[in-house]
């Protein structure tokens, strides 16, 4: 996980060095592609963790859940993020903050198992199954 964290930290600090467009969706697409290149192992459980953290959004992708976390007071965070470079930067920073926080939870003993058990309980309580 350290190699992933080092790369993500570098992308966060030097976004313009990696991408000609410094937008949330470009950075999120990179993170998604990186995760896919690692067979989904880097972000396994991230979406579920975000749903538990936000208490909503089991029908959303992690990309949209991050926007809800970045702009919790907004009903349509997608419109907010595309409205300004400041919002883009805020969303990028929140994305990497959340990934760091998620990796701390996941690194705990049985972290991923506990996460999925908690998510399963939450889904059942919501009557989503």
């Amino acid at each position: 996980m350290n190699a992933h964290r080092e790369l993500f930290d570098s992308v966060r600090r030097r976004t313009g060095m990696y991408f000609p467009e410094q937008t949330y969706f470009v950075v999120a697409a990179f993170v998604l592609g990186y995760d896919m290149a690692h067979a989904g192992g880097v972000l396994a459980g991230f979406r579920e963790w975000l749903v538990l953290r936000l208490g909503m959004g089991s029908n959303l992708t992690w990309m949209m859940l991050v926007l809800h976390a970045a702009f919790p007071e907004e009903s349509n965070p997608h419109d907010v993020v595309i409205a300004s470079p400041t919002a883009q930067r805020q969303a990028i920073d929140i994305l990497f903050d959340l990934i760091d926080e998620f990796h701390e939870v996941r690194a705990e003993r049985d972290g991923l198992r506990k996460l999925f058990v908690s998510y399963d309980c939450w889904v059942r309580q919501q009557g989503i199954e």
Side-chain angles (χ1 to χ4, degrees), residues 23 33 71 82 113:
T23 68
F71 307 103
I82 62 174
R113 184 188 64 77

Side-chain angles (χ1 to χ4, degrees), residues 2-118:
N2 283 340
H4 308 310
R5 284 184 165 186
E6 288 174 17
L7 175 62
F8 289 163
D9 185 52
S10 181
V11 170
R12 178 186 196 161
R13 285 184 286 112
R14 299 180 192 95
T15 309
M17 184 177 87
Y18 288 90
F19 312 109
E21 283 187 54
Q22 297 181 52
T23 68
Y24 169 73
F25 289 106
V26 166
V27 174
F30 167 77
V31 171
L32 177 62
Y34 184 83
D35 182 52
M36 297 292 282
H38 289 85
V42 176
L43 296 180
F46 185 53
R47 188 188 73 79
E48 292 79 5
W49 177 78
L50 287 167
V51 168
L52 289 172
R53 190 174 194 278
L54 296 170
M56 55 77 73
S58 63
N59 61 328
L60 300 175
T61 66
W62 65 257
M63 285 185 196
M64 288 308 299
L65 289 166
V66 167
L67 291 181
H68 280 280
F71 307 103
E73 67 287 346
E74 301 294 335
S75 60
N76 191 349
H78 177 271
D79 290 347
V80 174
V81 78
I82 62 174
S84 77
T86 303
Q88 296 281 354
R89 185 73 245 171
Q90 180 180 345
I92 291 167
D93 287 340
I94 294 292
L95 168 62
F96 289 119
D97 286 346
L98 290 169
I99 290 172
D100 283 346
E101 191 177 330
F102 166 68
H103 282 137
E104 291 297 322
V105 168
R106 197 173 137 166
E108 294 172 7
R109 182 179 174 183
D110 293 329
L112 197 55
R113 184 188 64 77
K114 289 176 185 174
L115 168 63
F116 282 121
V117 168
S118 295

Side-chain angles (χ1 to χ4, degrees), residues 120 123-129:
D120 183 57
V123 166
R124 290 174 190 270
Q125 287 174 348
Q126 304 304 306
I128 298 171
E129 297 185 68

